[in-house]
Structures are given as C-alpha cells and as structure tokens.
Amino acid sequence: MSNYLILTQTLKAAGMRLTPQRTAVCRFLAESDEHPTAAMIYDELKLQFDSFSLATVYNTLDALVKLGAVNALGGVGDDSVHYDADTEPHVNLACLSCNKIVDIPSEHVTHLDDEITAATGYKLLGARVLYYGLCPDCQESSNR
Amino acid sequence: MSNYLILTQTLKAAGMRLTPQRTAVCRFLAESDEHPTAAMIYDELKLQFDSFSLATVYNTLDALVKLGAVNALGGVGDDSVHYDADTEPHVNLACLSCNKIVDIPSEHVTHLDDEITAATGYKLLGARVLYYGLCPDCQESSNR
DNA sequence: GACTTATTTATAATAATTCTAAATTTGGAA
DNA sequence: TTCCAAATTTAGAATTATTATAAATAAGTC
C-alpha cells in the first residue's frame, strides 16, 4: 500500500474526516523525503487553496503523530519540528556540514523495539534515532 | 574521570573560562540523572547566586552540546529541550504522559556506530537515540 | 434539503529560546 | 599587585514555533 493511502486510511480509521486540506497534507508528506516542517508544508499547500491555515497543518500532523503513522523529529539543528512519514525502524543520519538528512536501514535498529519493550515494559509509540557526522563529500571538502 | 571533570575540562580545553556559574551548571548536570531542562537548572542554581541569568544557562549548555560533551534531547513531549551529560551509547526512553526520561543500556545500540560507519562512510560525531511511549505507571493510569 | 457535529480559519495567546547592550569579571602582562 | 582587553554575566526585550479560541464553513446523516 502506498504511503499516501496509509496516512489517509489511518485518519479515516480513527474516525476523522478526510477533508481536502488533510489529504493534501498527507500527499505532501508521502511524496516528500525531505523531512518537512509544518511551515514548509503550509507554505507549499497554501498555493493550492483559496484559504488555508497553519493550524490545520498542525492539527493534521498532531493527529498522524498520535496515531503512530508519522514521526516527529525535534531538535534537529533548526528550532522547528520535522516530520517523517516513514515509521519503519531506520536511522536518520544528518551531515553537520551540508545539513542534509538521509534515512538508512539498520540491522540493529530493527531489533531495538523488541529489546526495549522486553527490558522496560514501556508501550512504545515512536522513536528517533539520529546520528550526526560528516558525509563522504563533506569530508573531502574539509580536506582541501 | 568523573563526569563533572569531563564537562569542566571540555570547556577549558575549548578556551572558555571556568566561571562559578559555568562550573555550577556542569556540577548540576553531572550529578543529575533527571535529564534537566534549562529552566530546571536555572530554578535550582539561582538560589546559589546573588544574581543569575537563564541566558548563562543556555550559553553553557549550548557550548557543551557543540563540544559533544552533552546531548540535547528535543521533541520529547513537553516543549522544552532536556540535556543529558551521558554521551556513551545508550537509549533515552521518554514517557509521553509524565515526561520522565530514563536511560537504558542496549546491546544493539552499542553496535550501531560500527554498522553505520561501515554502511555509509560517514564520519560520525554524535548520536541521539530517543524512544518515546508510555511508562508502565502511566499505562495503568490510562486504563482506569 | 435540513441538521448536527467536525473542521477550518484567522488571530490572539503562550512559552521556550535567542538577542542586546550595559555592567562585571576574568586571566594575563607589566 | 595593578591595569587592561576581552570574555562573560545579567536583565529584559525580541523572536518565533506552537497552541488556544471562537466564529464561519463544510461533511456526513437522516
């Protein structure tokens, strides 16, 4: 199932209405791999509606986060929260020089959930695994 | 070497002056396992100084984070950043209901560095592994 | 089509963090 | 020690992401 359908069906299954604004937020999230902020989503989508409000963006994002379909990534360098529609276990890897964030799959991260649940009894709702470093390109640049 | 000395020596090694305010922030961080916020540190330490400013707390914390001696944990449920003086590989586990954060050691997290370096060629400089969910106590409360 | 309720909108309110400029303190040099 | 330049602290103002509010609008149901 496409990521877009997962998001919209998640909202519907929770008894929420599928308004044009909400489906637009879901589509934008699903089609982006840029980990957008609420403001980035708003700036883009307001062009598509006669009127459109940041509050609607937050409303939709909060619902998706609470439903576990989207991860909120806070404290990533700038001071706003980035959203990631990929909730499969993976590592976010940020380059401190060029500020790109890439997703990478990880053998060990896929096992973390089970390990943590077994060790603590917490009910896990989400995770953020964020590494910082210098990407290969920027390592080169800094050597020149 | 004690955690307190690591923090103060890190500041000194970076050419920063060891003022009484800064050493107090370092001591508080080193002796706390509560992952305090800037406001929590300020509220406690202002009792020890005739005058004391939140800006000084932020100044010191920002320096320690940039130097890699402290991790900043944002987006944890309340809307302020928590600080963790333990930079050894471990999992931070936050409860979204009571906002407590606990540290837990993890077999898998200790191997993540090697795995990521091998897979990507990045030069890793730091990491934050944050899980969030409901602690056993809060799961009970929400069932009542 | 009318009704009930959820949702959207625009704006105001809140609160964490950053900025600013003046006053103070620091560590080094004479 | 005393002086000096530079770093630091302070208090408060400014900024800004997010949340709350209340009136207007749209959805889904009968």
Side-chain angles (χ1 to χ4, degrees):
Chain A
M1 185 156 66
S2 79
N3 213 337
Y4 166 70
L5 283 179
I6 292 177
L7 297 180
T8 52
Q9 292 308 100
T10 298
L11 292 177
K12 192 165 192 180
M16 298 179 67
R17 294 177 180 169
L18 286 185
T19 65
Q21 293 87 344
R22 282 181 182 160
T23 58
V25 170
C26 289
R27 186 177 308 111
F28 188 89
L29 267 176
E31 292 177 354
S32 168
D33 53 355
E34 300 279 315
H35 305 80
T37 64
M40 289 163 67
I41 296 170
Y42 171 72
D43 286 342
E44 191 70 26
L45 295 187
K46 72 180 173 193
L47 306 173
Q48 303 177 19
F49 292 93
D50 291 345
S51 63
F52 189 54
S53 169
L54 237 190
T56 301
V57 177
Y58 278 108
N59 168 331
T60 307
L61 291 172
D62 287 352
L64 289 168
V65 169
K66 287 214 176 78
L67 293 168
V70 162
N71 278 339
L73 309 173
V76 182
D78 54 13
D79 41 359
S80 48
V81 174
H82 294 244
Y83 295 87
D84 187 353
D86 179 5
T87 57
E88 291 302 304
H90 67 276
V91 175
N92 292 115
L93 181 52
C95 177
L96 291 178
S97 177
C98 63
N99 291 316
K100 285 276 155 45
I101 305 177
V102 298
D103 294 333
I104 59 178
S106 160
E107 190 64 29
H108 288 107
V109 164
T110 57
H111 297 123
L112 267 178
D113 282 54
D114 296 338
E115 188 190 35
I116 294 170
T117 303
T120 66
Y122 271 56
K123 175 173 186 183
L124 297 185
L125 298 173
R128 179 169 100 238
V129 181
L130 181 64
Y131 271 74
Y132 297 102
L134 292 175
C135 69
D137 285 350
C138 290
Q139 289 176 54
E140 273 184 47
S141 310
S142 66
N143 287 338
R144 284 197 215 111
Chain B
M1 184 155 64
S2 80
N3 215 336
Y4 167 69
L5 283 179
I6 292 176
L7 297 180
T8 52
Q9 293 309 102
T10 297
L11 292 178
K12 193 166 191 180
M16 298 179 68
R17 293 176 180 171
L18 286 185
T19 65
Q21 291 89 342
R22 281 182 183 160
T23 58
V25 170
C26 289
R27 185 177 309 109
F28 188 89
L29 267 176
E31 292 175 354
S32 168
D33 52 357
E34 300 278 315
H35 305 79
T37 64
M40 290 164 65
I41 297 171
Y42 171 72
D43 286 341
E44 191 71 26
L45 294 186
K46 72 181 173 192
L47 306 172
Q48 303 175 19
F49 292 94
D50 290 345
S51 64
F52 188 55
S53 170
L54 239 190
T56 301
V57 178
Y58 278 109
N59 167 330
T60 307
L61 291 172
D62 287 351
L64 288 168
V65 169
K66 286 214 179 77
L67 293 167
V70 162
N71 278 339
L73 308 174
V76 182
D78 57 9
D79 41 0
S80 48
V81 174
H82 293 246
Y83 294 88
D84 186 354
D86 178 5
T87 56
E88 290 301 304
H90 67 278
V91 175
N92 292 116
L93 183 52
C95 178
L96 291 179
S97 177
C98 63
N99 291 317
K100 285 273 157 46
I101 306 177
V102 298
D103 291 335
I104 58 178
S106 162
E107 190 66 28
H108 290 107
V109 163
T110 56
H111 297 123
L112 267 179
D113 281 53
D114 296 339
E115 187 190 36
I116 294 170
T117 302
T120 66
Y122 271 56
K123 176 174 185 183
L124 297 185
L125 298 171
R128 301 189 318 225
V129 180
L130 178 65
Y131 270 73
Y132 41 97
L134 292 175
C135 69
D137 284 353
C138 290
Q139 288 176 57
E140 272 184 48
S141 309
S142 66
N143 288 339
R144 281 196 217 111

